[in-house]
Amino acid sequence: MENPIIILGAQTVGTSALDAFLSNDLVVYCLLDDDTKLQNTELFDVPVMGSTDDKELLKLLGKKCEVFVATEDTASRRSLTNMLHEEYQAVPVNAIHQRASVSVHAWLGHGNLISANAVVVGTAKIGNGCLIGPNAVVDARADLGDYAQLGAGAILNADVTVGEQAFIGAGAIVVAGVKIGNKARVGAGSVVVADVPANQTVFGNPAQKV
């Protein structure tokens, strides 16, 4: 990646994304965040320069800068990604930590964060705008829908399907072949042995509806 990167979001996800880019010796031009307390500060010596709709900075996207969307809220990540596409014809790049293991035979969309020591196995599929935490595992033929999130140490076994905007908590295990519906939530440390319908929250071992 030749161009410097602008990161939209300077909080937890932004910090992880910045760490991922810097681990690959990539240049991050700045971060943008809507929290005025963060503006005009620095994160790892990289400046937080303004809000996420700063048109003077966003007009650099394309030939001069790449972009990554790192806001905490899923709806915000989606709306910012859509805005970038519609107004600037910009597609977010992937932030893959140097210590992550991503098979060349895996399929990745755009704007994904893959944190340190995460593993994405060959034939796995990652959609767009997904957040994959440290030490998480996406096994063979697992399919992670757009804007889904895997917490630290979560494991998706082979042939698992995770719907769009679903949340899998830290340390959760989803056994082979299970389907997690759109916007479903799996609590931290849960073991999911049966399909989870869309919008449902489950927790425990075995995971049960909350």
Side-chain angles (χ1 to χ4, degrees), residues 19 40 84 90 125 144 156 159 194:
D19 185 46
N40 301 311
L84 292 168
K125 181 177 179 182
L144 196 59
L156 303 183
D159 298 299

Side-chain angles (χ1 to χ4, degrees), residues 71-161:
T71 53
E72 318 294 307
D73 178 65
T74 300
S76 173
R77 286 206 313 282
R78 288 186 67 192
S79 63
L80 282 171
T81 300
N82 290 337
M83 178 272 292
L84 292 168
H85 184 262
E86 292 169 5
E87 297 185 24
Y88 301 94
Q89 291 75 54
V91 176
V93 295
N94 288 317
I96 302 174
H97 199 283
Q98 191 269 336
R99 292 203 313 275
S101 175
V102 180
S103 170
V104 296
H105 302 293
W107 187 95
L108 267 66
H110 302 284
N112 297 299
L113 171 62
I114 303 179
S115 302
N117 301 316
V119 177
V120 180
V121 177
T123 67
K125 181 177 179 182
I126 311 296
N128 300 308
C130 296
L131 305 179
I132 299 178
N135 301 299
V137 176
V138 183
D139 208 344
R141 299 181 304 278
D143 189 333
L144 196 59
D146 293 349
Y147 302 100
Q149 184 172 345
L150 291 186
I155 298 174
L156 303 183
N157 282 295
D159 298 299
V160 165
T161 300

Side-chain angles (χ1 to χ4, degrees), residues 26-90:
L26 298 173
V27 175
V28 177
Y29 181 73
C30 69
L31 300 98
L32 302 177
D33 199 280
D34 295 334
D35 186 344
T36 55
K37 294 178 182 177
L38 294 176
Q39 294 169 12
N40 301 311
T41 65
E42 290 187 345
L43 186 59
F44 304 160
D45 297 324
V46 177
V48 183
M49 296 181 68
S51 63
T52 56
D53 60 356
D54 188 317
K55 297 189 184 301
E56 287 301 306
L57 288 167
L58 294 180
K59 72 181 182 182
L60 298 173
L61 300 180
K63 293 182 179 179
K64 294 183 178 179
C65 284
E66 305 292 346
V67 67
F68 183 83
V69 180
T71 53
E72 318 294 307
D73 178 65
T74 300
S76 173
R77 286 206 313 282
R78 288 186 67 192
S79 63
L80 282 171
T81 300
N82 290 337
M83 178 272 292
L84 292 168
H85 184 262
E86 292 169 5
E87 297 185 24
Y88 301 94
Q89 291 75 54

